[in-house]
Amino acid sequence: WDDFTHALVIQWAHPTLPPLIASIAGQGQISQASALALIMLLPAAIVVAMLSRMLVHSRGLTLEER
């Protein structure tokens, strides 16, 4: 919430995506806010998918030698 508040208060002229989504949803345009939220989520989901595949192939974070 600290990052959201900082972006909302400091960056009012050029808002980042989370405050922009909140203001659009507050205006009652839920479908546009949902589309923006999905666009914002896609890069993080792609990175997580790539990292999870790498972690599974390397047998996890804690590789134990026998």
Side-chain angles (χ1 to χ4, degrees), residues 10-11 14 17 22 24-25 40 48 52 54 57 64-66:
I10 303 296
Q11 296 289 333
H14 303 287
L17 276 178
I24 289 174
M40 188 176 83
V48 166
S52 68
M54 182 183 70
H57 289 306
E64 295 182 18
E65 300 272 338
R66 290 185 185 199

Side-chain angles (χ1 to χ4, degrees), residues 25-65:
Q27 295 172 0
Q29 300 171 352
I30 301 298
S31 60
Q32 289 180 351
S34 298
L36 277 175
L38 181 64
I39 290 170
M40 188 176 83
L41 181 68
L42 282 176
I46 291 170
V47 168
V48 166
M50 291 172 63
L51 288 178
S52 68
R53 183 178 306 162
M54 182 183 70
L55 290 174
V56 168
H57 289 306
S58 66
R59 292 187 278 170
L61 288 173
T62 58
L63 180 62
E64 295 182 18
E65 300 272 338

